[in-house]
Amino acid sequence: MNRFRNAAVLVFVLAVACRQGLPPDTSISESPVRTPPLETPGAETPSPPTSLPPSPEPATPSASTEQKVTIPDVVGLTRLAATSDLERAGLTFAVRTEATDEVKPGRVISQAPRAGRRVRATRRIDLSVAKPRLVSAGMRCPSDPLLGIYHPDRLQVLQECVWFLGTVVEVRPEDDGDHHIDIAPDGGFEHFLNAGDREHQDGGLLVEIVEGQALPIPELGEHISVFGTSVYDRTHGWNEIHPIWAIKYLDSGNVVRELPPDPPLYNPDETDGGGGGSGSGSGRGGGGGGSNCDPNYTGACLKDGIGDYDCGGGSGNGPNYVYATVHVVGEDVFGLDSDGNGLGCE
């Protein structure tokens, strides 16, 4: 009976404990049962990682070193234009010069690598740029730098035995037989010009071929180099190559060497005033010689109808000048006899 009573009490205690939610106090030890956690609505349960984090990507070369560009065609361009085009393309360059008569000085003869290739932006382009092959074998200057020039005291020698390169912009046959040629300088030869050249010679340098000097007259637009004496014309205030000893005709490669006649064919001191010569005249059509000499003067031919005359080396403004003493035999229409003694430009 007692055993049944004890069992009934135990059942009763267990029932009460279950109703109150308390764990039964038993002496039996069991491993706790693991239950999955309750899910909260709207919350995501993180999943365990399934793989290791990705390794960092290997470094790649910079875009500037891998970028490729097309090499521009710069053959025939001036050095400045060619290097500017290469710089705009992101390319570097090296320049060397090559003496040649076949390409105008300062222009690109060749390039390597060739135009049109695709290369890295840092690739160096090698340029060959033309420079003039100036002095030919046996080319020498006379011992007199003003050979064949009348009244050479009007010219101040700046430099002997010089080459000047450029393009012909004007050719003027003069009444005295000279040919005046204005030459626009190539790059590197601008220093031969002064303000007088830029103002009166169309931005070119004046050179003179005198009568009797057998040099072919160059044509407008022709590329030439002139060999002679660089002088300053005290009368007109500009620089010249005068006299000249040779011309190299660069478009054909021909070189002609011919000295001016000595003595000059034109001499303003002669009364007949004949011939052509090596005078500067007015620089724009003045000069001596001919049958229309002013009858008021002897000792030099002062032409009628070409403007005023002044004494060379004086303060007069021309446009024509007298470099010899003249006799006033009539009216002193040009005002050359300042002291009234019958002699002008003494």
Side-chain angles (χ1 to χ4, degrees):
M1 287 294 291
N2 289 336
R3 186 173 56 198
F4 290 114
R5 184 182 299 117
N6 291 340
V9 172
L10 179 59
V11 171
F12 176 75
V13 171
L14 290 174
V16 173
C18 289
R19 180 174 299 178
Q20 292 180 354
L22 299 175
D25 186 12
T26 62
S27 58
I28 301 173
S29 177
E30 298 180 1
S31 298
V33 178
R34 298 184 180 272
T35 58
L38 297 176
E39 294 185 3
T40 304
E44 295 183 359
T45 303
S47 58
T50 58
S51 61
L52 295 174
S55 301
E57 295 183 2
T60 57
S62 64
S64 61
T65 59
E66 285 298 305
Q67 180 184 0
K68 289 194 173 183
V69 297
T70 301
I71 301 175
D73 186 0
V74 298
V75 172
L77 300 182
T78 64
R79 175 173 177 162
L80 178 59
T83 54
S84 297
D85 283 358
L86 294 176
E87 287 176 342
R88 279 192 293 270
L91 297 164
T92 61
F93 54 85
V95 179
R96 66 180 181 88
T97 57
E98 179 180 337
T100 178
D101 291 331
E102 298 180 0
V103 179
K104 189 173 182 178
R107 295 188 177 270
V108 177
I109 303 171
S110 62
Q111 65 181 90
R114 66 180 184 277
R117 284 189 55 185
R118 297 279 295 174
V119 297
R120 295 191 309 274
T122 54
R123 179 66 181 268
R124 190 186 79 179
I125 309 301
D126 294 317
L127 302 180
S128 178
V129 175
K131 69 177 180 180
R133 182 182 289 117
L134 293 179
V135 181
S136 301
M139 190 72 70
R140 294 180 177 87
C141 296
S143 58
D144 180 3
L146 296 177
L147 179 74
I149 303 299
Y150 72 86
H151 295 320
D153 57 319
R154 74 187 190 274
L155 301 177
Q156 176 187 345
V157 175
L158 302 177
Q159 190 176 358
E160 300 180 25
C161 301
V162 298
W163 283 98
F164 175 79
L165 277 78
T167 301
V168 176
V169 293
E170 187 170 355
V171 177
R172 298 186 302 278
E174 299 291 316
D175 291 340
D176 61 2
D178 288 357
H179 277 80
H180 288 191
I181 304 165
D182 293 334
I183 303 177
D186 279 1
F189 291 86
E190 299 90 345
H191 65 280
F192 280 86
L193 280 66
N194 68 2
D197 295 296
R198 296 184 181 92
E199 181 178 357
H200 298 291
Q201 309 298 339
D202 298 316
L205 185 74
L206 174 65
V207 303
E208 295 191 33
I209 299 176
V210 304
E211 186 176 17
Q213 189 174 17
L215 291 170
I217 306 302
E219 299 179 353
L220 284 176
E222 190 169 359
H223 191 217
I224 65 174
S225 60
V226 178
F227 186 53
T229 303
S230 173
V231 299
Y232 171 69
D233 187 325
R234 294 186 177 100
T235 302
H236 298 102
W238 57 58
N239 294 342
E240 307 175 359
I241 303 293
H242 186 205
I244 59 176
W245 317 129
I247 297 179
K248 177 174 281 190
Y249 302 84
L250 297 175
D251 295 337
S252 64
N254 294 331
V255 180
V256 180
R257 185 178 189 271
E258 181 70 24
L259 299 181
D262 185 39
L265 298 183
Y266 170 70
N267 187 345
D269 294 338
E270 296 178 356
T271 56
D272 62 5
S278 56
S280 291
S282 68
R284 288 291 184 183
S291 61
N292 60 335
C293 301
D294 193 301
N296 292 296
Y297 301 91
T298 63
C301 179
L302 278 58
K303 289 188 175 182
D304 285 328
I306 63 170
D308 190 24
Y309 278 88
D310 288 307
C311 295
S315 59
N317 61 356
N320 305 292
Y321 297 87
V322 180
Y323 295 96
T325 298
V326 294
H327 292 266
V328 181
V329 296
E331 182 183 357
D332 186 15
V333 293
F334 296 125
L336 304 179
D337 182 9
S338 59
D339 57 8
N341 68 351
L343 299 177
C345 300
E346 296 177 86

